[in-house]
Amino acid sequence: MKSYEVNFDGLVGPTHNYGGLSYGNVASQSNSQQGSNPKEAALQGLAKMKALMDMGFQQGVLAPQERPDVAALRKLGFAGTDAQVIQLAAKQAMPLLVASCSASSMWVANAATVSPSADTADGRVHFTAANLNCKYHRSIEHPTTSRVLGAMFADQKHFAHHAALPAVAQFGDEGAANHTRFCRDYGQAGVEFFVFGRSAFDTRYPAPQKYPARQTLEASQAVARLHGLSEEGVVYAQQNPSVIDQGVFHNDVIAVGNGEVLFYHEDAFLETEKMLAELQGKLGRRGGNFQSICVPRAQVTVEDAVRSYLFNSQLLSRVDGSMLLIVPEECRGNERVWQYLQSLTSSGGLIREVKVFDLKQSMQNGGGPACLRLRVALNETELAAVNPGVIMTAPLYDTLTQWVGKHYRDRLCESDLADPQLLLECRTALDELTQILKLGAVYPFQIN
């Protein structure tokens, strides 16, 4: 039976704005308070989805969330009608209103960790929604994320869903941004690679000093247990604390993997040689041939990697076995990074081609191509069981493009977030989107 890696990209929400909410994310903080263009952001994301679909890759869509999150503001003591809640928050605690308006659910690499059926004990595809408890504006996402994923992957014969881990620092979980899977074929048993920034209970592991380590070892281990993964099918690795302190807030900012290949920066991990040997041994015992491409710091610095998002790329397998790297336009704008990529593709190695996409609206908030997609390995039977409304087609692309044009603003500033009309616009848009994507009642609001 044929198997695929399906990329489900997050659809940018109508309240996309630059709130500078993500401490430790250089791009997010450096572009704080700038005006954003939600319409352009959504169209840039859709253009990438359409391009990958046209290249023959399986592509899906993950819906955005209701923002501002009035229910979250009510839990913080703001009362009255929805409009009054928004206006009170704007007057008394504008940072909380900004956080409740964040469109960060667009970065669905943080939505969940996914293990394919070939790896799990019960032979189902397992999903664990990420608690994202390191940042308030993201910690409010997982209840809706779980409902959306449940509506997309509803058949319990093939799919299993787990609630987010306890929302405490010891079990900080940032989802697939710190998880990669290596395999000979997407339908064969593979090795799941969990990267953590710190240990919550074992002080022998070092930790960053400037920025927080968002993923804990204990969270990664808990997800592996929930998914029924075997010891032979899992490798844990620690991210280098010094690169976290340089703005590498997730592993997908410093490494990316696909198939049998890991593409990583020289400074990405601690105990790199030991980690590579374990990956090679475990994948070898599952019939694979693990290979790695190390980018030397002498050619590309960590600062270059963070500013260009070289590693926040999509590494995709072509039919002929060669690999394609999807990178943001910022890579072409960095001389050292672009020179490295040119030498990489001309060397005749594993990565034969680089394609560049303009994702500036997302990039300015700290999310590149890899942030925008959640990878789900599915066999033909499982793919047929996915809600067909979320699988990208040419007609769906046209419909979503028209939907964005109808509902999205082309300019959004912080002061606009205090306008109750923005909430109505978002709800109206999402009410229509649930019908387009056949999601059912995944949002708790009602349009009156």
Side-chain angles (χ1 to χ4, degrees):
M1 187 183 302
K2 195 168 183 179
S3 295
Y4 311 88
E5 181 183 75
V6 187
N7 287 283
F8 290 88
D9 277 39
L11 189 56
V12 180
T15 62
H16 164 67
N17 70 94
Y18 299 131
L21 299 169
S22 189
Y23 182 65
N25 182 327
V26 173
S28 172
Q29 292 183 280
S30 62
N31 291 297
S32 177
Q33 312 307 313
Q34 290 189 24
S36 65
N37 187 330
K39 182 179 293 185
E40 183 179 52
L43 293 177
Q44 286 175 346
L46 281 168
K48 180 172 80 74
M49 297 184 223
K50 173 69 160 49
L52 265 62
M53 180 197 73
D54 288 343
M55 283 186 263
F57 296 104
Q58 295 285 343
Q59 180 67 55
V61 183
L62 232 162
Q65 303 196 7
E66 176 194 7
R67 292 294 181 268
D69 190 333
V70 177
L73 290 172
R74 290 185 186 280
K75 291 178 182 179
L76 299 177
F78 300 102
T81 65
D82 289 347
Q84 288 170 336
V85 166
I86 292 168
Q87 290 165 342
L88 281 171
K91 182 179 179 180
Q92 299 176 8
M94 190 63 184
L96 295 181
L97 177 60
V98 173
S100 79
C101 290
S102 173
S104 54
S105 65
M106 62 197 267
W107 296 307
V108 296
N110 305 119
T113 303
V114 186
S115 295
S117 57
D119 295 352
T120 62
D122 65 2
R124 294 188 293 170
V125 183
H126 282 246
F127 301 79
T128 295
N131 60 31
L132 297 167
N133 72 301
C134 184
K135 299 287 182 290
Y136 171 72
H137 70 285
R138 303 222 61 181
S139 70
I140 60 178
E141 293 176 12
H142 66 82
T144 300
T145 298
S146 292
R147 290 194 298 271
V148 171
L149 289 174
M152 294 168 62
F153 305 95
D155 190 336
Q156 295 183 14
K157 178 181 177 182
H158 299 293
F159 309 117
H161 296 272
H162 305 279
L165 298 178
V168 294
Q170 289 92 335
F171 293 101
D173 179 23
E174 301 276 318
N178 295 305
H179 173 263
T180 302
R181 178 177 184 258
F182 299 103
C183 58
R184 182 178 178 181
D185 180 85
Y186 295 124
Q188 296 180 351
V191 176
E192 302 200 19
F193 183 50
F194 292 85
V195 180
F196 62 95
R198 69 182 181 94
S199 170
F201 298 110
D202 192 335
T203 57
R204 291 175 298 176
Y205 292 94
Q209 300 301 305
K210 181 180 180 182
Y211 293 137
R214 304 186 186 186
Q215 184 83 24
T216 66
L217 170 62
E218 291 78 6
S220 298
Q221 292 170 330
V223 170
R225 286 192 293 269
L226 286 168
H227 291 193
L229 306 181
S230 69
E231 184 178 344
E232 271 299 298
V234 172
V235 171
Y236 301 100
Q238 183 169 11
Q239 196 172 0
N240 185 344
S242 71
V243 300
I244 296 177
D245 282 338
Q246 294 177 71
V248 180
F249 53 99
H250 290 139
N251 179 61
D252 68 4
V253 181
I254 202 72
V256 60
N258 171 53
E260 298 172 307
V261 178
L262 174 64
F263 179 57
Y264 71 100
H265 190 274
E266 182 179 1
D267 296 324
F269 306 103
L270 295 182
E271 299 186 312
T272 303
E273 293 306 316
K274 178 182 177 183
M275 172 203 78
L276 294 175
E278 186 177 2
L279 284 169
Q280 186 173 36
K282 288 187 172 180
L283 188 60
R285 288 189 284 277
R286 297 200 161 192
N289 176 30
F290 177 75
Q291 302 171 74
S292 61
I293 303 171
C294 177
V295 180
R297 70 175 74 93
Q299 292 181 258
V300 176
T301 67
V302 172
E303 182 182 4
D304 289 327
V306 171
R307 294 198 177 279
S308 68
Y309 267 33
L310 165 62
F311 296 96
N312 196 250
S313 52
Q314 292 179 251
L315 187 59
L316 304 172
S317 296
R318 290 193 179 279
V319 175
D320 64 3
S322 67
M323 288 195 171
L324 165 69
L325 195 67
I326 302 293
V327 301
E329 182 66 46
E330 284 74 4
C331 284
R332 186 152 50 194
N334 185 299
E335 185 177 355
R336 284 187 295 271
V337 168
W338 193 244
Q339 285 180 349
Y340 173 79
L341 286 173
Q342 297 307 297
S343 65
L344 179 70
T345 55
S346 63
S347 67
L350 296 165
I351 299 176
R352 302 290 177 82
E353 185 181 4
V354 171
K355 283 193 176 294
V356 179
F357 284 83
D358 180 4
L359 298 166
K360 183 178 180 181
Q361 285 290 321
S362 177
M363 285 288 292
Q364 288 187 160
N365 230 351
C371 288
L372 286 164
R373 61 94 173 93
L374 180 68
R375 296 183 285 184
V376 185
L378 300 166
N379 61 39
E380 288 177 319
T381 302
E382 293 158 350
L383 181 57
V386 175
N387 177 346
V390 301
I391 300 299
M392 182 58 74
T393 61
L396 178 58
Y397 170 77
D398 291 338
T399 299
L400 290 175
T401 299
Q402 294 168 13
W403 173 80
V404 169
K406 176 182 176 182
H407 293 288
Y408 281 50
R409 300 186 184 188
D410 58 14
R411 176 75 175 173
L412 201 63
C413 300
E414 184 176 283
S415 59
D416 297 321
L417 305 180
D419 179 7
Q421 179 64 26
L422 184 62
L423 174 63
L424 180 59
E425 291 172 12
C426 183
R427 286 178 170 175
T428 302
L430 293 182
D431 188 53
E432 186 176 322
L433 185 66
T434 57
Q435 299 173 52
I436 294 171
L437 300 181
K438 301 178 175 63
L439 292 175
V442 296
Y443 301 113
F445 62 82
Q446 291 183 336
I447 300 293
N448 297 319

